[in-house]
């Protein structure tokens, strides 16, 4: 079996502008600035490879990644749960009202549409506490 973490990804042909945007995003993160990039395209156009490229460019930053899973599409917040699971122990460091919604998310009792703005703020609070001095990279593949 091949360990995917050991596979080197060469520069992608014809994707120089996307690679530059991703490098700029990583550089901004290292300066303490936030940002986001949305990669859209048809199946097989290299979106997942670009995501891996960004992760490689992020180097020693804290990496939180997840992917949408079709069979879990009916589960509320499944991908978000997987994204945050590695830093779940920090949920108790978030202010109490936000910690409560995070605990419900992480224990699977937060239903579809619940949480609202409190969930958004709670996730931001958690990510802020989890952020490494070298940066924080959150990658979501197949979000659709």
């Amino acid at each position: 079996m091949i360990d995917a973490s050991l596979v080197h990804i060469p520069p992608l042909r014809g994707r120089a502008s996307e690679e530059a945007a991703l490098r700029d995003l990583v550089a901004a993160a290292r300066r303490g600035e936030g940002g986001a990039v949305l990669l859209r395209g048809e199946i097989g156009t290299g979106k997942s490879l670009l995501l891996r490229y960004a992760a490689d460019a992020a180097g020693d930053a804290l990496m939180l990644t997840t992917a949408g899973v079709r069979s879990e599409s009916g589960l509320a917040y499944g991908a978000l749960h997987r994204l945050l699971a590695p830093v779940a122990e920090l949920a108790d460091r978030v202010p109490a009202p936000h910690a409560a919604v995070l605990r419900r998310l992480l224990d699977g009792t937060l239903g579809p549409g619940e949480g609202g703005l409190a969930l958004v703020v709670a996730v931001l609070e958690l990510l802020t506490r989890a952020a490494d001095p070298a940066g924080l990279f959150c990658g979501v593949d197949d979000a659709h």
Side-chain angles (χ1 to χ4, degrees):
M1 176 183 283
I2 296 174
D3 181 352
S5 66
L6 300 177
V7 176
H8 172 72
I9 300 175
L12 302 170
R13 261 183 231 165
R15 303 308 283 270
S17 63
E18 290 93 340
E19 289 175 351
L22 293 169
R23 283 191 307 274
D24 290 346
L25 183 68
V26 169
R30 292 196 188 287
R31 294 190 303 270
E33 301 170 15
V37 171
L38 174 64
L39 302 170
R40 293 181 12 181
E42 297 298 318
I43 293 172
T45 57
K47 298 177 301 298
S48 295
L49 283 176
L50 283 166
L51 186 60
R52 288 274 313 273
Y53 178 87
D56 287 349
D60 58 348
L62 174 62
M63 308 295 292
L64 298 176
T65 60
T66 191
V69 177
R70 183 176 304 273
S71 63
E72 293 183 356
S73 63
L75 298 174
Y77 308 112
L80 182 59
H81 181 276
R82 278 192 308 283
L83 181 75
L84 300 178
V87 294
E89 74 279 357
L90 299 175
D92 291 331
R93 295 186 190 173
V94 171
H98 300 128
V101 74
L102 275 175
R103 279 191 291 278
R104 288 191 59 212
L105 168 76
L106 294 167
D107 70 15
T109 61
L110 190 67
E114 290 186 69
L117 184 57
L119 177 60
V120 173
V121 173
V123 169
L124 181 58
E125 290 274 355
L126 181 63
L127 293 176
T128 299
R129 280 157 181 75
D132 188 272
L136 171 66
F137 176 85
C138 294
V140 180
D141 201 3
D142 294 329
H144 63 283

